[in-house]
Amino acid sequence: MAAILLAEDDDSMRRFLKKALERAGHSVIDAAQGDEALTELQLREFDLLLTDIVMPVMDGIELARRATEIDPEMKIMFITGFAAVALNAANQAPEDAKVLSKPFHLKDLVHEVERVVAA
């Protein structure tokens, strides 16, 4: 399955998402904020960056921009309660990034992750 970097600042949400993705067979490295995730991106390769948008220190959009500089082939997926922010062209989010709005069901997350990785 996929190697996924999960960036989510909410501890319980991050643990919950990591566990669901691992149960689906994915390898998941998690980070509590964008700068921690950026460090992970510099250490290893990932198939997918799954990131919240609103996080301290470095938001998910900046993280996604930097991630695509490191690996232009990496897929990007935002999980957010602020979908309009992600879809705003002025924020310069990667054009082909997928946005999954909170709240979502775990089976929907797993399905979308698998769809994005396979594309």
Side-chain angles (χ1 to χ4, degrees):
M1 286 296 199
I4 299 172
L5 176 58
L6 170 63
E8 167 64 62
D9 61 319
D10 181 292
D11 292 339
S12 59
M13 174 71 89
R14 188 175 63 255
R15 285 191 302 268
F16 194 57
L17 297 176
K18 181 177 181 177
K19 185 180 281 188
L21 291 166
E22 287 175 339
R23 282 187 189 153
H26 301 290
S27 171
V28 182
I29 300 294
D30 63 314
Q33 49 191 47
D35 60 331
E36 292 174 14
L38 184 60
T39 298
E40 292 294 336
L41 286 167
Q42 295 165 340
L43 295 174
R44 64 194 95 207
E45 291 185 17
F46 294 93
D47 300 305
L48 174 70
L49 169 62
L50 180 61
T51 182
D52 190 7
I53 290 180
V54 179
M55 294 185 293
V57 184
M58 178 188 299
D59 68 26
I61 294 170
E62 179 64 20
L63 174 60
R65 275 188 284 220
R66 292 188 184 194
T68 56
E69 289 172 4
I70 293 168
D71 182 359
E73 300 300 314
M74 186 182 342
K75 311 286 178 150
I76 308 291
M77 187 171 170
F78 294 112
I79 48 174
T80 184
F82 303 95
V85 173
L87 299 174
N88 181 348
N91 69 21
Q92 299 176 334
E95 291 179 14
D96 55 351
K98 169 73 178 160
V99 178
L100 187 61
S101 296
K102 294 177 185 175
F104 50 80
H105 193 280
L106 284 179
K107 69 176 182 174
D108 295 331
L109 171 71
V110 170
H111 173 75
E112 285 301 316
V113 163
E114 291 173 356
R115 196 173 68 75
V116 167
V117 169

